[in-house]
Amino acid sequence: MKMLYKLLGGFVLVIGFVAIAAILCALPTMLLWNWLMPDIFHLDTITFWQALGLNFLCGILFKSSVSSSKDK
């Protein structure tokens, strides 16, 4: 039973860290977008969830796929 509580506690801790990381990434994106884009390009403001999705999309599109193996 203790092992189950440890596993569940670890799972909750990881979910918490992921949530905090998502907030720390999406909040600056939202604030910068809403500060700059409407004035410069006449675009609409975005919500927190849209900023989170934008960060996720940019992570997919601009992810580096460089391998660490060296060619001889």
Side-chain angles (χ1 to χ4, degrees):
M1 199 61 151
K2 280 186 176 184
M3 184 66 170
L4 179 64
Y5 287 140
K6 271 188 169 181
L7 186 63
L8 188 60
F11 181 72
V12 169
L13 192 63
V14 167
I15 295 297
F17 281 135
V18 168
I20 289 171
I23 290 170
L24 290 176
C25 288
L27 196 59
T29 302
M30 182 187 75
L31 293 173
L32 283 170
W33 180 283
N34 291 339
W35 176 43
L36 296 172
M37 295 302 171
D39 290 336
I40 297 172
F41 300 112
H42 304 290
L43 297 173
D44 292 335
T45 59
I46 61 173
T47 65
F48 172 80
W49 298 107
Q50 289 171 327
L52 186 64
L54 189 61
N55 278 335
F56 184 70
L57 178 64
C58 287
I60 291 171
L61 292 176
F62 300 115
K63 187 177 181 181
S64 176
S65 61
V66 177
S67 65
S68 62
S69 64
K70 295 180 181 178
D71 294 328
K72 291 185 178 181

